[in-house]
Amino acid sequence: MNKETIIGLLIPFLGTSLGSAMVFVMKDELNPKVQKGLSGFAAGVMVAASIWSLLIPSMDMVAADMGNMSWVPAVIGFLIGILFLLFLDNAIPHQHIDSITPEGRNSENMRRTTMMVLAVVIHNIPEGMAVGVSYAGALYGTESVSLASAFALSVGIAIQNFPEGAIISMPLKSTGVDKGKSFWMGVGSGAVEPIAAIVTILLSQVMIPILPYLLSFAAGAMLYVVVEELIPEATGEGEAHTNIGTLGFAAGFAIMMILDVMLG
């Protein structure tokens, strides 16, 4: 891997780390409306990234050979990505920040703070894979994926990781965890992204023919997180319902779309 690739893989992790550092700056826990807006923003970034940085390049890579059947790798990879995250969601014990009910297997004996971090780890795995497979496409694939577009995806993920880092570290502090530990738990939740990205790139070197499937796989995994976690957190239910999450979604989608078109 060259220097540009290494930097690109670390940028999203930097975003999470800086966001987690907000625990030292902000005195109180995040306002619920602010948290919903940030969740909506993250959802918007991930949806736009899934479309412009992953699904469209997946189809473009096979368009010359498959013609109007170029949707096949995109659909297959997308559905497998959904099922993969569904498996992780049911296999790994975790608890979402705004939930009182643990999820996954053997969650009864685990601390709530640990399960909150694991929930973000599940969220970050597909993001790391998306960045990794995007760089793999630029390094080993075709002109359908460029280093500039991979960098755009990395920057977009980093932007949404900044509030995400705050969303994990601030609630941890409000549960009684000290600032330093809350920060490092937030940083640790983001460390899975460069790891997942590097593993994906290494696997891609021996699986170049299935890069279109890997791109759409990452898209499916990210969109699972959007539908399962981020949108419910952003919109709320009943009296907690708000349109702030929708506005955040629009802002995140627009910013990621602009980044991908300008840099890609």
Side-chain angles (χ1 to χ4, degrees):
M1 288 184 287
N2 55 36
K3 180 180 178 180
E4 290 78 9
T5 301
I6 294 173
I7 292 174
L9 299 184
L10 292 177
I11 287 176
F13 176 60
L14 177 62
T16 303
S17 301
L18 291 175
S20 299
M22 291 298 101
V23 74
F24 298 112
V25 179
M26 302 175 67
K27 294 183 179 180
D28 302 317
E29 61 181 293
L30 287 174
N31 182 288
K33 289 187 176 180
V34 173
Q35 186 167 320
K36 290 181 182 299
L38 296 178
S39 294
F41 180 86
V45 169
M46 292 175 73
V47 170
S50 296
I51 296 171
W52 271 275
S53 299
L54 299 171
L55 288 174
I56 291 177
S58 170
M59 290 182 280
D60 287 344
M61 288 181 72
V62 297
D65 296 324
M66 301 187 67
N68 59 7
M69 295 295 289
S70 60
W71 55 266
V72 172
V75 170
I76 292 175
F78 173 82
L79 294 177
I80 295 175
I82 292 284
L83 293 175
F84 176 69
L85 258 291
L86 179 62
F87 167 75
L88 291 184
D89 207 19
N90 286 278
I92 300 176
H94 63 282
Q95 183 171 347
H96 298 298
I97 293 170
D98 62 343
S99 175
I100 60 173
T101 306
E103 300 178 26
R105 296 179 182 176
N106 304 319
S107 58
E108 295 82 3
N109 299 322
M110 294 188 67
R111 297 176 61 182
R112 181 170 183 265
T113 52
T114 302
M115 290 191 292
M116 288 170 65
V117 173
L118 286 175
V120 179
V121 168
I122 295 173
H123 179 149
N124 286 341
I125 289 174
E127 293 177 12
M129 293 176 63
V131 173
V133 74
S134 185
Y135 271 97
L139 293 172
Y140 311 116
T142 67
E143 295 180 356
S144 300
V145 183
S146 66
L147 283 174
S149 63
F151 180 75
L153 174 62
S154 183
V155 171
I157 296 294
I159 291 173
Q160 70 97 16
N161 276 355
F162 180 83
E164 191 175 89
I167 286 176
I168 184 63
S169 64
M170 295 297 293
L172 285 173
K173 185 184 74 170
S174 68
T175 63
V177 180
D178 66 74
K179 292 182 180 180
K181 189 173 182 180
S182 296
F183 167 73
W184 285 113
M185 291 179 77
V187 170
S189 70
V192 69
E193 289 195 18
I195 294 173
I198 292 171
V199 170
T200 302
I201 289 178
L202 294 176
L203 290 175
S204 298
Q205 292 184 47
V206 295
M207 295 189 295
I208 293 176
I210 65 169
L211 270 177
Y213 295 89
L214 292 178
L215 285 166
S216 55
F217 174 91
M222 287 213 299
L223 289 178
Y224 177 92
V225 172
V226 170
V227 175
E228 170 70 15
E229 177 185 344
L230 294 178
I231 288 180
E233 288 180 2
T235 57
E237 297 180 357
E239 295 180 359
H241 175 73
T242 176
N243 290 322
I244 292 177
T246 304
L247 296 175
F249 178 93
F253 188 95
I255 289 174
M256 185 63 225
M257 180 171 57
I258 292 169
L259 280 173
D260 194 89
V261 174
M262 287 182 62
L263 299 179

